[in-house]
Amino acid sequence: MAKTELEQVQTMLEGFRFAMLTTRDEQGMLQAHPLTVQEREFDGDLWFIVGGDAPLVQHVGVDPAVNASFSGDSAWLSIAGTAAIVDDLARLETLWNPVVEAWFPEGPRDSKATLLKVSASSAQYWDSPGRLATLVSLVTSKVTGEPKGGESGTVRLD
């Protein structure tokens, strides 16, 4: 059975650990922030643990429109949406892990730790069958003139 586009995005997201979250600063300039994805079950929302004093928190206050991009050896994913700072200790405790503790040594009750939620409105993706298959596809495309392989799409999530 073929995957729906949403299922494709969900599957791809499971393969990524890190995101680059792009925000607009106070002057309207784009700024990218590396973040670790905290929740793998993608239902249209992404969750990140951030420092409450981080510049991206100020940026979200100015303009909540954001983009989270993910990249791997053979797959790329871009999720656009709206970000919000969420004060939810129970969820923070649920998402907490030892890696996060390196940045917030006082644990989930660390006054600097907060949640950033991205409510996705759309996702764009490109997935190739892997490095070798992509190389073969590119060579075949060059020889035959046929478009190269891979799967891409845009999904509305709102």
Side-chain angles (χ1 to χ4, degrees), residues 55-127:
L56 72 95
V57 171
Q58 296 167 354
H59 299 171
V60 167
V62 172
D63 183 353
V66 298
N67 182 271
S69 58
F70 307 83
S71 178
D73 288 340
S74 62
W76 297 265
L77 177 62
S78 173
I79 297 177
T82 304
I85 302 305
V86 177
D87 184 22
D88 182 342
L89 182 58
R91 182 174 284 274
L92 185 58
E93 288 174 338
T94 300
L95 296 175
W96 200 260
N97 62 70
V99 175
V100 175
E101 206 152 310
W103 282 271
F104 306 103
E106 296 175 30
R109 295 185 184 273
D110 190 312
S111 62
K112 294 180 184 172
T114 193
L115 292 168
L116 177 77
K117 176 184 178 183
V118 175
S119 299
S121 56
S122 67
Q124 292 180 293
Y125 64 88
W126 187 75
D127 192 16

Side-chain angles (χ1 to χ4, degrees), residues 8 12 16 72-77 125-138 148-153:
Q8 177 71 18
M12 290 178 73
F16 297 114
D73 288 340
S74 62
W76 297 265
L77 177 62
Y125 64 88
W126 187 75
D127 192 16
S128 75
R131 283 187 184 178
L132 182 57
T134 299
L135 179 60
V136 170
S137 177
L138 289 171
K148 57 188 174 289
E151 185 177 347
S152 65

